[in-house]
Amino acid sequence: MSTNSIHTKNIVEPIDQRIRLIALLTLLLVGISFATRILLTILSANEISVIQVPGIFLIGFFYDLINAGYFIIPLVVYLWVVPPRVFHKNWHRFILYSIFTCFTLILLFDAVSEFFFWDEFNARFNFIAVDYLVYTTEVLGNIKQSYPIGWIIAGLIFTTLGLVYFLKSFINASGKTTYFCKRSVWAIPILILPVLSYFLVSNKLHQFSKNMYANELAGNGMYELFSAYFNNELSYDQFYQTRAEQDSFALLKSLLKTPESDYLPGVQNSTERMITHAGEEKKLNVVLISVESLSADFMDSFGNTQHLTPFLDSLSEHSLFFTNLYATGTRTVRGLEALSLCIPPTPGQSIVRRPDNENLFSLGKVFTDKGYESKYIYGGYGYFDNMNYFFSNNNYKVVDRSSLKDEQIDYENIWGVADENLFTLAQQEIEKTMANGKPVFEHVMTTSNHRPYTYPDGRIDIPSHTSRAGAVKYTDYAIGQFIKSCSLKSWFNNTIFVIVADHCASSAGKSELPVNKYHIPLLIYSPANITRAHMDRLMSQIDIGPTLLGLLNFSYTSKFFGYDMFQLEEGRERAFVSTYQSLGFIREGELIILSPQKKVSQFTVNFTTSNSTAHSVNNQLVNEAIAWYQVSSHSFSHGLYKQ
């Protein structure tokens, strides 16, 4: 045996160093997570009580450890398999420095990202963050346009290098001797721990209070991110309260029945029914504008004093103005789902983003069957949020920013062209359809009221890139220019304009489902055809489609879950509000919330402040809530909502 081989065999290898390196990375993760939680707690101090702080940090520490178990896997595997003869080379310490530099940078980047995510959504990472990872072009562009990203990255790199330099002596520490078999004694159990936590721990354990701020603070952002990724679809039957299928169908059919509808004979578990209106149908053009994040409280009509929507406030006095309407969700895709499919929100991701979402019964189908050309017009690129695929496979023709020439674009950011350019495109498409001798149904989706809140200069009195208030006022300006331009066209008197929000600007609140954060406006404007009036009855976003079709006096076969509000008897109004997990049902001033683990709760709600008082459940209201949500989920998952 050579001298070199004897020397290699007798190397004294510091096992304690390897274990200390694992412990060091664990402490680094827990320490940064702890500091992040302190900062977010300080930012949310007015939203939580002192008695919730111990729960926030104790439960948070538990999730930090669970997250550490996943995060350290690459380091554990590396330290387990790297042989002593490599581990003790002088150059190997630079590999360790590089490893810790990468891991530290990831942890600091995660902490900063959590800060900005919390600033916008008042939540740990969730489905929205997963979307951000999928649509990196739009999201990175948005971040670049919204924040001083260069300075942030420089600060992260500088802090990372400083931390690694400070930890240099710990990384270079020495210890005892061991070989692969002995290393396996500690490596295998450490690697088993995350496997066990995968099966034994869920992200529900931090839901320890009725205060959603406290619950979110008790979570771990990185853990929540991966939990959201792997749980983006929830089975209603598995996770939510159910009744016998035939009972839920029977109850829902009784709830859906209105004077103008009759169920098709011989069909039991189906909502399919014939909608019949006497008299001539009105083949008017329809332009449905869904406005990004237009909360009702942006309008003077609902008490705003900043005068952000002068055109819409003026238009509301000449429109059929609905004042008690609620969005079904907190994302654009949820609003698009409600407006196009007229179906309550299903748990998990929006149907717009789900697989097997083709050939569904849609508003576009009804209009197409009536001889219209149905179009979805978007100011960004329609691949985002799966919009192109969804609409093009559900009786809409998709037209996005790629249809605009360079000279037609005054301004654009990562989300899309300026709203005024979007409306130029919409008007262009109206005229194309009419030149072909067809009436047009257009669903136009705006983008300017979205961070980074940028728009062309000189349009309004609030500078671009300063605040959401400016973006709201600019969108109002763009809508006004569009309506005024259309009013000069020969087809204006044969056109109905429907203006509604996709969702509100914010959904955060102390309660699980803050109802006032779902309140949105709806204006139906057609001075030659629609009598101006105010409608103050409770209404859901899924009711807009059937109500619009009723105003056109259309007779058609329907699978919609929405009501024609002019056919619905007084006292039967209801609305739906949701997150990706919590399903809310509003009726008679009460809010029923259906949650995973088959939980049911009931609250009396103040619709102005969104304060809520919990009390014992009303079984009739609970059964109604279950019927709506169980049947809608069943209809989609079992193909019953297909055309």
Side-chain angles (χ1 to χ4, degrees):
M1 184 176 296
S2 69
T3 303
N4 286 341
S5 62
I6 292 173
H7 179 73
T8 301
K9 196 170 183 179
N10 290 331
I11 285 176
V12 176
E13 189 226 342
I15 180 176
D16 285 351
Q17 182 181 1
R18 301 197 189 207
I19 294 179
R20 276 200 296 268
L21 289 172
I22 295 169
L24 179 61
L25 183 58
T26 302
L27 289 173
L28 194 61
L29 183 148
V30 172
I32 292 174
S33 298
F34 180 73
T36 303
R37 188 171 289 108
I38 289 177
L39 175 60
L40 298 183
T41 301
I42 292 172
L43 292 175
S44 307
N46 294 331
E47 309 295 342
I48 59 176
S49 64
V50 175
I51 60 173
Q52 292 165 338
V53 172
I56 289 171
F57 283 90
L58 287 174
I59 297 172
F61 178 68
F62 170 75
Y63 274 103
D64 293 344
L65 289 177
I66 295 298
N67 184 52
Y70 293 107
F71 190 78
I72 65 174
I73 288 175
L75 181 64
V76 173
V77 172
Y78 178 75
L79 294 176
W80 180 25
V81 301
V82 66
R85 64 180 178 274
V86 173
F87 191 84
H88 286 289
K89 295 292 185 181
N90 286 333
W91 51 262
H92 185 258
R93 69 180 185 274
F94 294 104
I95 292 180
L96 293 178
Y97 295 154
S98 299
I99 290 173
F100 270 83
T101 299
C102 290
F103 282 152
T104 303
L105 184 60
I106 291 171
L107 291 172
L108 290 175
F109 181 81
D110 174 77
V112 172
S113 300
E114 281 203 67
F115 170 80
F116 288 119
F117 194 84
W118 186 274
D119 179 58
E120 185 162 358
F121 297 104
N122 295 114
R124 295 286 193 169
F125 291 144
N126 51 32
F127 274 172
I128 300 173
V130 173
D131 287 350
Y132 281 8
L133 290 177
V134 174
Y135 296 101
T136 53
T137 301
E138 281 79 3
V139 174
L140 290 177
N142 180 38
I143 292 170
K144 184 177 180 181
Q145 294 170 358
S146 301
Y147 304 106
I149 192 67
W151 287 105
I152 292 172
I153 292 175
L156 286 173
I157 293 174
F158 180 80
T159 305
T160 297
L161 294 176
L163 268 174
V164 174
Y165 182 81
F166 175 77
L167 297 172
K168 180 180 176 182
S169 59
F170 296 95
I171 296 173
N172 285 332
S174 60
K176 300 177 183 178
T177 304
T178 191
Y179 297 101
F180 182 78
C181 291
K182 290 186 178 180
R183 294 198 299 273
S184 302
V185 172
W186 51 261
I188 292 175
I190 291 175
L191 293 173
I192 288 176
L193 286 176
V195 176
L196 293 176
S197 65
Y198 177 82
F199 291 102
L200 299 177
V201 179
S202 75
N203 67 338
K204 306 299 185 297
L205 300 179
H206 64 84
Q207 306 292 328
F208 73 101
S209 77
K210 295 180 180 179
N211 187 315
M212 294 306 296
Y213 282 90
N215 294 342
E216 291 292 322
L217 289 167
N220 177 283
M222 194 177 294
Y223 180 89
E224 292 296 314
L225 178 67
F226 286 97
S227 177
Y229 180 80
F230 287 109
N231 296 282
N232 63 349
E233 291 188 32
L234 297 174
S235 165
Y236 182 90
D237 290 343
Q238 180 179 355
F239 291 102
Y240 293 83
Q241 186 72 265
T242 61
R243 300 176 70 218
E245 185 179 298
Q246 61 271 24
D247 292 341
S248 285
F249 264 99
L251 176 56
L252 183 63
K253 290 175 76 169
S254 70
L255 294 172
L256 275 176
K257 184 70 176 71
T258 47
E260 87 289 13
S261 67
D262 289 292
Y263 287 101
L264 300 184
V267 182
Q268 289 187 336
N269 287 0
S270 172
T271 61
E272 192 168 16
R273 58 206 186 278
M274 187 63 204
I275 307 297
T276 305
H277 289 99
E280 185 179 355
E281 296 184 339
K282 303 173 184 177
K283 294 293 181 69
L284 303 173
N285 303 308
V286 176
V287 180
L288 168 60
I289 304 171
S290 51
V291 183
E292 172 68 38
S293 305
L294 184 66
S295 302
D297 57 16
F298 285 139
M299 294 181 64
D300 290 6
S301 306
F302 296 99
N304 190 286
T305 58
Q306 296 175 280
H307 309 302
L308 301 179
T309 57
F311 178 77
L312 289 179
D313 282 307
S314 173
L315 193 70
S316 70
E317 297 303 318
H318 303 278
S319 303
L320 178 54
F321 185 31
F322 296 79
T323 63
N324 201 9
L325 171 69
Y326 290 84
T328 60
T330 61
R331 293 291 320 282
T332 294
V333 284
R334 198 56 99 178
L336 295 178
E337 170 192 277
L339 293 169
S340 61
L341 301 181
C342 309
I343 190 172
T346 51
Q349 188 57 271
S350 164
I351 289 174
V352 175
R353 297 285 311 281
R354 297 271 189 93
D356 196 28
N357 65 359
E358 308 89 356
N359 303 312
L360 300 175
F361 188 81
S362 69
L363 196 57
K365 172 180 169 50
V366 177
F367 277 108
T368 300
D369 288 348
K370 293 293 182 181
Y372 283 66
E373 185 169 20
S374 300
K375 296 181 179 181
Y376 176 70
I377 317 289
Y378 181 56
Y381 290 116
Y383 69 82
F384 182 72
D385 264 339
N386 204 43
M387 287 185 279
N388 271 353
Y389 185 85
F390 172 78
F391 281 102
S392 63
N393 283 279
N394 286 288
N395 292 100
Y396 292 80
K397 175 186 176 183
V398 177
V399 182
D400 66 8
R401 69 190 287 179
S402 59
S403 298
L404 282 168
K405 299 176 182 177
D406 290 344
E407 59 268 23
Q408 292 179 297
I409 300 176
D410 292 286
Y411 189 89
E412 61 182 320
N413 60 29
I414 196 63
W415 294 112
V417 300
D419 283 348
E420 61 192 86
N421 301 138
L422 166 67
F423 289 125
T424 296
L425 177 61
Q427 188 166 318
Q428 177 180 300
E429 290 298 321
I430 292 173
E431 308 228 337
K432 278 185 184 179
T433 299
M434 298 197 66
N436 293 328
K438 286 189 172 185
V440 63
F441 167 55
E442 279 192 354
H443 182 160
V444 184
M445 180 69 225
T446 74
T447 61
S448 290
N449 184 20
H450 196 298
R451 193 181 294 274
Y453 312 134
T454 56
Y455 40 85
D457 293 327
R459 284 5 181 219
I460 59 170
D461 57 1
I462 301 176
S464 172
H465 208 312
T466 55
S467 65
R468 183 183 286 277
V472 172
K473 195 165 189 176
Y474 169 71
T475 294
D476 177 80
Y477 161 85
I479 294 172
Q481 294 299 109
F482 174 60
I483 299 294
K484 291 171 186 175
S485 176
C486 292
S487 69
L488 303 177
K489 301 296 182 179
S490 60
W491 42 262
F492 176 75
N493 286 336
N494 294 321
T495 303
I496 295 177
F497 298 89
V498 181
I499 304 171
V500 67
D502 59 346
H503 58 84
C504 280
S506 170
S507 60
K510 294 182 181 180
S511 58
E512 187 173 355
L513 289 174
V515 174
N516 64 336
K517 298 299 180 73
Y518 292 80
H519 187 203
I520 58 175
L522 167 63
L523 295 78
I524 299 181
Y525 175 67
S526 183
N529 305 284
I530 304 294
T531 303
R532 64 180 185 176
H534 280 204
M535 165 75 84
D536 300 322
R537 297 172 67 186
L538 177 67
M539 182 177 175
S540 172
Q541 202 173 23
I542 74 170
D543 299 324
I544 295 173
T547 300
L548 174 61
L549 296 174
L551 290 171
L552 294 170
N553 212 41
F554 281 3
S555 295
Y556 60 100
T557 301
S558 175
K559 292 187 178 182
F560 293 147
F561 284 67
Y563 289 131
D564 176 348
M565 294 302 295
F566 293 100
Q567 298 293 328
L568 184 68
E569 302 94 325
E570 293 280 350
R572 291 181 56 195
E573 304 87 349
R574 50 85 194 99
F576 308 95
V577 293
S578 73
T579 62
Y580 64 93
Q581 288 188 348
S582 299
L583 307 176
F585 173 71
I586 303 169
R587 175 104 189 264
E588 299 174 348
E590 298 293 311
L591 172 64
I592 305 293
I593 299 180
L594 308 179
S595 304
Q597 299 177 321
K598 301 187 182 296
K599 294 180 180 178
V600 179
S601 51
Q602 182 171 341
F603 304 85
T604 299
V605 177
N606 182 315
F607 286 84
T608 302
T609 65
S610 206
N611 291 335
S612 56
T613 305
H615 56 80
S616 57
V617 300
N618 178 312
N619 289 331
Q620 178 59 33
L621 289 181
V622 170
N623 288 342
E624 289 184 16
I626 291 171
W628 286 103
Y629 282 115
Q630 182 180 354
V631 174
S632 61
S633 296
H634 179 91
S635 295
F636 173 72
S637 62
H638 289 75
L640 301 180
Y641 215 67
K642 296 285 187 181
Q643 297 178 13

